[in-house]
Amino acid sequence: ISRKMCCIISGEPVADSKGKRRTFNGAAKFQVSMMDALWCPDGYKSCGWFCGQFIPATCGITQCLLRRKVLNYDMTKYSCFQGYFNICCCIKAGSCGESSCPDLCLFCESCVCNSIAISASRMYVMEKYDLQSDPCDYRLIRINNCLQMLSCVCDILAIFIADLRQLARIIDWIADLMFHCVSGCMTAQVAHEVNYQNSLGSDAVVTQAIPVNTGKY
């Protein structure tokens, strides 16, 4: 049923003529899509990553562990959002004290900007191994983003319309559940891909990330 519902939504990457949003369209694909991340051969490991991100109390530390795994535990390669999301002048890769306190910066990034942290890890892996997303991955991400926007709009309306407050609360719960499910699958997908590439002895290197100004995932 979920696959049929996803087919209604476009699975094409978002094109940005201004170059503010970078789309990775590599020669290869992830070994598993986000929908299949929990059913791969080493699914028991993927379930651990999924659960770590799904539980709000542990999603921050889960992204810390994932980024370290993605960087092959070499924190000299770490920078804020790996250079993909320079949000403003005060949050910019290379200017947040990463060289002196990389683990502390990563912990703050993962806890405060959890969704961007997982996006940065995934984009780093996609650039490093020249990967592209499965169309259904784009669909799941779009569904999640639409729910987050709907939740935000309902919360604003509920400030002025008391009758909407209960509905806004329910939509908040649905949006939160969707986010943790999608980000959990994304986390499991990235971890599985890193394990696969490591098993091949891949030594690809990302020399410099191209910054991205906006984008949820």
Side-chain angles (χ1 to χ4, degrees):
I1 295 175
S2 59
R3 290 181 184 273
K4 292 180 180 179
M5 290 178 63
C6 280
C7 290
I8 301 173
I9 302 171
S10 172
E12 296 297 319
V14 177
D16 185 4
S17 58
K18 297 181 179 180
K20 292 183 177 181
R21 183 183 291 106
R22 187 179 181 195
T23 299
F24 294 96
N25 193 23
K29 289 187 176 182
F30 282 95
Q31 293 304 302
V32 294
S33 67
M34 286 168 53
M35 288 190 68
D36 296 328
L38 300 182
W39 317 118
C40 55
D42 61 345
Y44 67 97
K45 295 179 182 178
S46 298
C47 285
W49 286 104
F50 174 87
C51 291
Q53 175 61 24
F54 183 79
I55 300 171
T58 60
C59 63
I61 191 64
T62 298
Q63 292 313 313
C64 284
L65 295 174
L66 182 66
R67 184 69 60 79
R68 288 176 61 85
K69 183 182 184 69
V70 165
L71 298 176
N72 200 27
Y73 305 99
D74 181 2
M75 292 302 287
T76 61
K77 298 178 182 178
Y78 171 76
S79 62
C80 186
F81 307 127
Q82 294 307 122
Y84 295 109
F85 299 90
N86 289 327
I87 299 175
C88 61
C89 60
C90 60
I91 303 179
K92 187 176 294 185
S95 63
C96 299
E98 300 101 311
S99 58
S100 57
C101 301
D103 292 297
L104 176 60
C105 290
L106 175 58
F107 179 77
C108 293
E109 173 191 326
S110 301
C111 293
V112 178
C113 303
N114 186 257
S115 64
I116 305 180
I118 172 57
S119 295
S121 294
R122 187 171 188 262
M123 292 168 72
Y124 184 90
V125 169
M126 291 178 73
E127 183 174 9
K128 182 176 182 179
Y129 301 116
D130 194 28
L131 304 175
Q132 61 175 293
S133 285
D134 183 85
C136 208
D137 291 356
Y138 284 119
R139 295 183 181 114
L140 288 172
I141 291 168
R142 284 182 174 130
I143 292 171
N144 172 73
N145 290 348
C146 287
L147 276 173
Q148 304 309 318
M149 289 187 287
L150 177 62
S151 174
C152 182
V153 170
C154 289
D155 284 341
I156 293 173
L157 292 176
I159 296 174
F160 307 100
I161 306 173
D163 292 341
L164 286 179
R165 290 173 186 170
Q166 187 63 32
L167 176 62
R169 197 170 293 117
I170 293 173
I171 293 176
D172 283 345
W173 291 338
I174 295 173
D176 288 345
L177 178 62
M178 184 66 181
F179 167 74
H180 284 284
C181 284
V182 172
S183 61
C185 289
M186 185 179 290
T187 300
Q189 179 194 48
V190 172
H192 177 79
E193 186 65 33
V194 173
N195 288 339
Y196 171 78
Q197 296 293 344
N198 287 343
S199 70
L200 298 179
S202 177
D203 59 353
V205 176
V206 176
T207 56
Q208 183 177 3
I210 297 178
V212 178
N213 292 335
T214 187
K216 181 80 173 177
Y217 289 110

